Amino acid sequence: MGGPLPRLGRLLRRAAAAAAGAPPGRSGLCSAAPAAADPPRSQGAAQFQLKRQQQPTFGFLFDIDGVLVRGKTPIPAARKAFQKLLSSQGEFRVPVVFVTNAGNCLRQKKADQLSHILGVPISQDQVMMSHSPLRMFKRFHDKCVLVSGQGPLLDIAKHLGFCQPITIDKLRETYPLLDVVDHDRRPKELLRPPVELPKIEAIILFGEPVRWETNLQLIIDVLLTSGYPGKPYPRETYPHIPVLACNMDLMWASEAQSPRFGHGTFMVCLENIYKKITGKELKYEALMGKPSELTYHYAEYLIRTQAAAKQWKNPIQTLYAIGDNLMTDIYGANLYNRYLEENRSRRGSKARFQAKAAGGTRSTTVSQEEELENMWENELSSAVATSCRSVLVCTGVYNPHTEVPFDARESITETAFHGHRDFRFDPALVEPDHIVPDVDAAVDLIFQLENFAPKEPCRTA
């Protein structure tokens, strides 16, 4: 993970001296059991007696790659963890949502994969892909949109509500002269396109493509021609047509020993090529997937929906986000926690600003952030949770053995920020609330933090 982070450095040094039985807090050891897993008996059994309750007031947000699997290989702790989450009847004791930055398949396929890997029944309503929030962008659903990525892109786009999606392959087929990097794929005959495509009014980046040079070239063509890629570049094409991007992961954990390029790396290429050609910044209409607040707001909505379906009366107050990537999972959970903490004050401030605007003392122009927030609330209703806690596991991208310098100032200057350029670097946002060895230890820790032990026994494999 590039250079170490200053706060995290202090955290790890503090954790190195902690006993395995230390009380839960911002600590933990990746090389040992989680701090809360084995409380010291001397403090009295009553203090650590788990409260038996049927209705939880918390929910789980699980990352997938690096937490439950590496590539197609299950992480051993995953099955053990999920046996604890199911009742003897095979039903989830607590609300669970799988929040992945993957975007190359439909939710049902991912649910089927997880059911097979974990040995538990997973519904598509428990799965949130990086592109899931696109359901809310209804103003683009009737427009002709270019989709980039891999997998069944047309099926995914139509499932999300888009009526006129066009793939890069279709664009290349219609305008074969645009893709000439690979000499073997250049057209043998110079033919005019039989049918002109309609104007492309938006671009949706679902995930990293297979042939980067083709996608980069054709996306740039669409941007620089305002949606008419078969025509020459005009002199002025700024601002460009809307771009919506899903999944900002620079790196992700597969079976390889080192992290692999993610969609965030492709986006870095696209942004820099556009700026090199035009001298201007590529702008995004919206960024989805972790660490976007929009993603966590949507995930909370899915958690609430599960609780309502089970007719649980107690509101879900705490979300626990379990992940392996500091720059996406931990950053995103902490960012959403900050949003929840500031929610009430922001609402009060917004009401005061709106009152001033109505009196003519403020411009009525609505910022993109306000527009997105209004969309969240209209589509998903207001956030109910009061906190979102981040739990870092050591089975994926995060390397617990990174050397930590003792000089925090040196750490700041040496840290390579792997997050997207539109998210500012804040050391506080990449400091996890807890560090544990794996997902099974995370479930144990959270059950103890919540004093949660349902009346019926857990499911046995």
Side-chain angles (χ1 to χ4, degrees):
M1 290 300 302
L5 303 166
R7 285 192 169 195
L8 187 58
R10 294 196 295 274
L11 175 71
L12 292 176
R13 287 195 290 272
R14 196 164 66 242
R26 283 185 176 266
S27 61
L29 274 173
C30 290
S31 58
D38 188 18
R41 298 177 183 274
S42 59
Q43 296 190 34
Q47 180 180 352
F48 297 98
Q49 181 64 37
L50 296 180
K51 178 173 60 179
R52 295 190 174 273
Q53 58 187 33
Q54 288 183 309
Q55 295 188 10
T57 58
F58 64 100
F60 286 88
L61 306 180
F62 287 102
D63 179 38
I64 297 176
D65 293 302
V67 175
L68 306 178
V69 298
R70 287 185 70 106
K72 296 181 180 179
T73 305
I75 291 171
R79 279 206 170 208
K80 187 177 178 183
F82 274 81
Q83 296 304 321
K84 298 172 182 177
L85 293 173
L86 262 63
S87 68
S88 56
Q89 284 76 38
E91 296 182 352
F92 277 93
R93 306 162 178 261
V94 295
V96 167
V97 171
F98 300 89
V99 186
T100 175
N101 270 356
N104 59 352
C105 67
L106 295 167
R107 289 191 303 159
Q108 186 60 59
K109 181 176 180 180
K110 184 63 69 174
D112 293 341
Q113 291 172 350
L114 288 169
S115 298
H116 176 71
I117 290 168
L118 300 174
V120 301
I122 305 297
S123 159
Q124 69 169 355
D125 295 328
Q126 293 176 281
V127 175
M128 182 174 173
M129 310 295 289
S130 60
H131 49 62
S132 292
L134 283 169
R135 294 175 182 275
M136 295 188 294
F137 288 81
K138 295 178 181 177
R139 65 186 182 278
F140 294 105
H141 286 180
D142 292 332
K143 299 181 184 299
C144 178
V145 298
L146 177 67
V147 294
S148 170
Q150 55 184 292
L153 291 176
L154 291 179
D155 290 340
I156 294 170
K158 290 176 180 178
H159 217 70
L160 291 167
F162 294 95
C163 301
Q164 300 184 68
I166 293 177
T167 64
I168 292 287
D169 286 341
K170 179 64 176 177
L171 198 62
R172 181 180 174 276
E173 176 187 323
T174 306
Y175 305 108
L177 296 180
L178 299 182
D179 183 24
V180 295
V181 171
D182 186 342
H183 288 223
D184 292 334
R185 300 208 325 159
R186 289 184 178 183
K188 303 297 185 289
E189 299 180 35
L190 301 181
L191 301 174
R192 292 181 60 83
V195 179
E196 291 284 341
L197 294 177
K199 178 185 178 181
I200 296 171
E201 298 186 71
I203 299 170
I204 300 176
L205 307 178
F206 279 112
E208 64 270 20
V210 175
R211 298 187 70 97
W212 287 32
E213 81 283 359
T214 296
N215 286 58
L216 289 169
Q217 177 69 77
L218 297 189
I219 291 170
I220 289 292
D221 287 335
V222 170
L223 289 170
L224 296 185
T225 59
S226 297
Y228 295 102
K231 300 185 180 302
Y233 296 165
R235 289 188 177 183
E236 184 59 47
T237 58
Y238 203 81
H240 55 71
I241 64 174
V243 180
L244 298 90
C246 315
N247 179 359
M248 296 164 275
D249 282 352
L250 187 76
M251 313 282 268
W252 67 290
S254 183
E255 290 96 340
Q257 294 299 307
S258 304
R260 304 290 85 196
F261 289 164
H263 188 220
T265 308
F266 176 82
M267 291 168 65
V268 168
C269 296
L270 180 64
E271 292 155 11
N272 281 278
I273 292 170
Y274 183 85
K275 187 170 184 179
K276 193 71 174 178
I277 293 174
T278 67
K280 297 176 180 178
E281 295 284 351
L282 178 69
K283 302 291 185 183
Y284 294 97
E285 182 76 15
L287 291 167
M288 282 154 279
K290 297 173 289 187
S292 167
E293 290 177 39
L294 176 59
T295 289
Y296 288 84
H297 197 99
Y298 198 95
E300 185 192 342
Y301 164 75
L302 295 179
I303 288 282
R304 288 201 312 268
T305 301
Q306 288 182 39
K310 290 184 177 292
Q311 298 184 333
W312 288 335
K313 304 300 182 185
N314 299 328
I316 302 300
Q317 297 178 328
T318 307
L319 304 174
Y320 289 95
I322 302 170
D324 68 307
N325 192 326
L326 289 170
M327 300 300 177
T328 53
D329 303 313
I330 303 306
Y331 188 111
N334 291 341
L335 185 65
Y336 191 60
N337 185 65
R338 183 175 290 180
Y339 164 80
L340 294 174
E341 290 176 346
E342 297 174 352
N343 197 23
R344 289 185 181 179
S345 61
R346 288 199 324 188
R347 285 178 182 277
S349 299
K350 185 187 294 185
R352 289 192 295 272
F353 278 130
Q354 288 173 342
K356 289 182 180 179
T361 58
R362 177 181 180 248
S363 169
T364 56
T365 301
V366 180
S367 70
Q368 183 184 8
E369 183 178 347
E370 289 173 319
E371 199 173 306
L372 282 173
E373 191 172 326
N374 290 335
M375 181 178 64
W376 297 357
E377 295 176 1
N378 291 337
E379 294 285 336
L380 309 177
S381 76
S382 300
V384 175
T386 57
S387 64
C388 182
R389 299 302 176 198
S390 55
V391 183
L392 179 67
V393 299
C394 304
T395 51
V397 169
Y398 172 67
N399 179 9
H401 305 297
T402 302
E403 183 182 353
V404 180
F406 284 89
D407 186 345
R409 290 171 298 180
E410 177 187 350
S411 179
I412 292 173
T413 58
E414 291 184 356
T415 296
F417 179 49
H418 287 185
H420 189 264
R421 56 143 216 229
D422 290 356
F423 288 77
R424 66 185 179 87
F425 176 65
D426 183 343
L429 293 177
V430 290
E431 181 180 350
D433 288 302
H434 306 282
I435 305 177
V436 293
D438 53 43
V439 66
D440 184 47
V443 170
D444 286 343
L445 171 65
I446 292 164
F447 273 11
Q448 178 142 1
L449 289 172
E450 293 291 330
N451 292 327
F452 182 79
K455 291 180 180 179
E456 59 176 317
C458 58
R459 177 182 175 182
T460 54

